[in-house]
mmCIF file of all heavy atoms in Angstrom:
data_model
loop_
_atom_site.group_PDB
_atom_site.id
_atom_site.type_symbol
_atom_site.label_atom_id
_atom_site.label_comp_id
_atom_site.label_asym_id
_atom_site.label_seq_id
_atom_site.Cartn_x
_atom_site.Cartn_y
_atom_site.Cartn_z
ATOM 1 N N PRO B 141 -26.092 42.626 29.119
ATOM 2 C CA PRO B 141 -26.773 41.629 28.293
ATOM 3 C C PRO B 141 -28.014 41.085 29.022
ATOM 4 O O PRO B 141 -28.082 41.132 30.248
ATOM 5 C CB PRO B 141 -25.748 40.508 28.159
ATOM 6 C CG PRO B 141 -24.453 41.042 28.619
ATOM 7 C CD PRO B 141 -24.714 42.219 29.480
ATOM 8 N N ILE B 142 -28.949 40.574 28.255
ATOM 9 C CA ILE B 142 -30.087 39.861 28.826
ATOM 10 C C ILE B 142 -29.598 38.446 29.136
ATOM 11 O O ILE B 142 -28.943 37.821 28.304
ATOM 12 C CB ILE B 142 -31.247 39.803 27.804
ATOM 13 C CG1 ILE B 142 -31.746 41.208 27.463
ATOM 14 C CG2 ILE B 142 -32.364 38.900 28.293
ATOM 15 C CD1 ILE B 142 -32.569 41.867 28.565
ATOM 16 N N VAL B 143 -29.889 37.973 30.337
ATOM 17 C CA VAL B 143 -29.412 36.649 30.737
ATOM 18 C C VAL B 143 -30.593 35.677 30.749
ATOM 19 O O VAL B 143 -31.565 35.892 31.475
ATOM 20 C CB VAL B 143 -28.735 36.703 32.128
ATOM 21 C CG1 VAL B 143 -28.266 35.307 32.539
ATOM 22 C CG2 VAL B 143 -27.571 37.674 32.104
ATOM 23 N N ILE B 144 -30.505 34.659 29.924
ATOM 24 C CA ILE B 144 -31.608 33.709 29.811
ATOM 25 C C ILE B 144 -31.124 32.291 30.133
ATOM 26 O O ILE B 144 -29.922 32.041 30.167
ATOM 27 C CB ILE B 144 -32.270 33.740 28.417
ATOM 28 C CG1 ILE B 144 -31.376 33.104 27.361
ATOM 29 C CG2 ILE B 144 -32.590 35.179 28.010
ATOM 30 C CD1 ILE B 144 -32.045 32.975 25.991
ATOM 31 N N ALA B 145 -32.067 31.386 30.384
ATOM 32 C CA ALA B 145 -31.683 30.007 30.666
ATOM 33 C C ALA B 145 -32.770 29.057 30.193
ATOM 34 O O ALA B 145 -33.948 29.415 30.156
ATOM 35 C CB ALA B 145 -31.434 29.810 32.162
ATOM 36 N N GLY B 146 -32.340 27.865 29.828
ATOM 37 C CA GLY B 146 -33.285 26.830 29.410
ATOM 38 C C GLY B 146 -32.727 25.471 29.794
ATOM 39 O O GLY B 146 -31.696 25.394 30.452
ATOM 40 N N GLY B 147 -33.387 24.416 29.368
ATOM 41 C CA GLY B 147 -32.917 23.072 29.724
ATOM 42 C C GLY B 147 -33.808 22.462 30.800
ATOM 43 O O GLY B 147 -34.655 23.157 31.364
ATOM 44 N N PRO B 148 -33.624 21.174 31.083
ATOM 45 C CA PRO B 148 -34.536 20.470 31.988
ATOM 46 C C PRO B 148 -34.714 21.140 33.349
ATOM 47 O O PRO B 148 -35.808 21.149 33.896
ATOM 48 C CB PRO B 148 -33.916 19.080 32.138
ATOM 49 C CG PRO B 148 -32.572 19.135 31.519
ATOM 50 C CD PRO B 148 -32.588 20.268 30.555
ATOM 51 N N CYS B 149 -33.641 21.711 33.910
ATOM 52 C CA CYS B 149 -33.776 22.291 35.255
ATOM 53 C C CYS B 149 -34.662 23.531 35.272
ATOM 54 O O CYS B 149 -35.093 23.960 36.339
ATOM 55 C CB CYS B 149 -32.418 22.635 35.838
ATOM 56 S SG CYS B 149 -31.448 21.190 36.212
ATOM 57 N N SER B 150 -34.930 24.106 34.124
ATOM 58 C CA SER B 150 -35.790 25.290 34.171
ATOM 59 C C SER B 150 -37.242 24.899 34.431
ATOM 60 O O SER B 150 -38.095 25.770 34.573
ATOM 61 C CB SER B 150 -35.656 26.130 32.900
ATOM 62 O OG SER B 150 -35.734 25.333 31.778
ATOM 63 N N PHE B 151 -37.528 23.609 34.541
ATOM 64 C CA PHE B 151 -38.879 23.210 34.930
ATOM 65 C C PHE B 151 -39.140 23.458 36.420
ATOM 66 O O PHE B 151 -40.271 23.424 36.863
ATOM 67 C CB PHE B 151 -39.185 21.769 34.513
ATOM 68 C CG PHE B 151 -39.575 21.682 33.067
ATOM 69 C CD1 PHE B 151 -38.622 21.575 32.068
ATOM 70 C CD2 PHE B 151 -40.912 21.788 32.713
ATOM 71 C CE1 PHE B 151 -38.996 21.547 30.734
ATOM 72 C CE2 PHE B 151 -41.291 21.758 31.370
ATOM 73 C CZ PHE B 151 -40.326 21.643 30.387
ATOM 74 N N ASN B 152 -38.079 23.649 37.205
ATOM 75 C CA ASN B 152 -38.260 24.367 38.464
ATOM 76 C C ASN B 152 -37.225 25.476 38.501
ATOM 77 O O ASN B 152 -36.149 25.338 39.080
ATOM 78 C CB ASN B 152 -38.119 23.491 39.699
ATOM 79 C CG ASN B 152 -38.263 24.358 40.954
ATOM 80 O OD1 ASN B 152 -38.855 25.432 40.894
ATOM 81 N ND2 ASN B 152 -37.696 23.914 42.063
ATOM 82 N N PRO B 153 -37.533 26.609 37.909
ATOM 83 C CA PRO B 153 -36.541 27.680 37.770
ATOM 84 C C PRO B 153 -36.338 28.493 39.042
ATOM 85 O O PRO B 153 -35.409 29.279 39.131
ATOM 86 C CB PRO B 153 -37.141 28.553 36.678
ATOM 87 C CG PRO B 153 -38.608 28.319 36.750
ATOM 88 C CD PRO B 153 -38.802 26.931 37.274
ATOM 89 N N GLU B 154 -37.179 28.298 40.047
ATOM 90 C CA GLU B 154 -37.225 29.239 41.160
ATOM 91 C C GLU B 154 -35.907 29.510 41.885
ATOM 92 O O GLU B 154 -35.605 30.658 42.167
ATOM 93 C CB GLU B 154 -38.339 28.841 42.139
ATOM 94 C CG GLU B 154 -39.735 29.043 41.551
ATOM 95 C CD GLU B 154 -39.952 30.468 41.025
ATOM 96 O OE1 GLU B 154 -39.621 30.699 39.841
ATOM 97 O OE2 GLU B 154 -40.400 31.329 41.792
ATOM 98 N N PRO B 155 -35.075 28.490 42.186
ATOM 99 C CA PRO B 155 -33.830 28.803 42.896
ATOM 100 C C PRO B 155 -32.947 29.805 42.138
ATOM 101 O O PRO B 155 -32.150 30.505 42.744
ATOM 102 C CB PRO B 155 -33.132 27.450 43.009
ATOM 103 C CG PRO B 155 -34.225 26.447 42.944
ATOM 104 C CD PRO B 155 -35.256 27.033 42.034
ATOM 105 N N LEU B 156 -33.107 29.887 40.816
ATOM 106 C CA LEU B 156 -32.272 30.803 40.032
ATOM 107 C C LEU B 156 -33.013 32.076 39.646
ATOM 108 O O LEU B 156 -32.496 32.908 38.905
ATOM 109 C CB LEU B 156 -31.787 30.104 38.751
ATOM 110 C CG LEU B 156 -30.710 29.026 38.918
ATOM 111 C CD1 LEU B 156 -30.427 28.363 37.576
ATOM 112 C CD2 LEU B 156 -29.426 29.633 39.470
ATOM 113 N N SER B 157 -34.250 32.235 40.159
ATOM 114 C CA SER B 157 -35.103 33.300 39.615
ATOM 115 C C SER B 157 -34.588 34.714 39.892
ATOM 116 O O SER B 157 -34.948 35.642 39.177
ATOM 117 C CB SER B 157 -36.527 33.145 40.143
ATOM 118 O OG SER B 157 -36.491 33.215 41.552
ATOM 119 N N SER B 158 -33.728 34.881 40.892
ATOM 120 C CA SER B 158 -33.204 36.230 41.122
ATOM 121 C C SER B 158 -32.083 36.593 40.155
ATOM 122 O O SER B 158 -31.714 37.751 40.037
ATOM 123 C CB SER B 158 -32.657 36.345 42.545
ATOM 124 O OG SER B 158 -33.654 36.033 43.472
ATOM 125 N N PHE B 159 -31.527 35.594 39.499
ATOM 126 C CA PHE B 159 -30.341 35.826 38.679
ATOM 127 C C PHE B 159 -30.632 35.854 37.182
ATOM 128 O O PHE B 159 -29.913 36.478 36.417
ATOM 129 C CB PHE B 159 -29.296 34.736 38.952
ATOM 130 C CG PHE B 159 -29.056 34.503 40.417
ATOM 131 C CD1 PHE B 159 -29.424 33.310 41.026
ATOM 132 C CD2 PHE B 159 -28.488 35.503 41.192
ATOM 133 C CE1 PHE B 159 -29.215 33.104 42.376
ATOM 134 C CE2 PHE B 159 -28.279 35.312 42.552
ATOM 135 C CZ PHE B 159 -28.648 34.104 43.148
ATOM 136 N N ILE B 160 -31.660 35.125 36.783
ATOM 137 C CA ILE B 160 -31.938 34.943 35.359
ATOM 138 C C ILE B 160 -33.082 35.880 34.959
ATOM 139 O O ILE B 160 -34.093 35.958 35.653
ATOM 140 C CB ILE B 160 -32.336 33.474 35.079
ATOM 141 C CG1 ILE B 160 -31.236 32.502 35.555
ATOM 142 C CG2 ILE B 160 -32.673 33.244 33.615
ATOM 143 C CD1 ILE B 160 -29.962 32.536 34.765
#
Side-chain angles (χ1 to χ4, degrees):
Chain B
I142 297 286
V143 179
I144 73 174
C149 291
S150 47
F151 279 86
N152 177 23
E154 291 306 88
L156 287 176
S157 59
S158 303
F159 312 113
I160 303 291

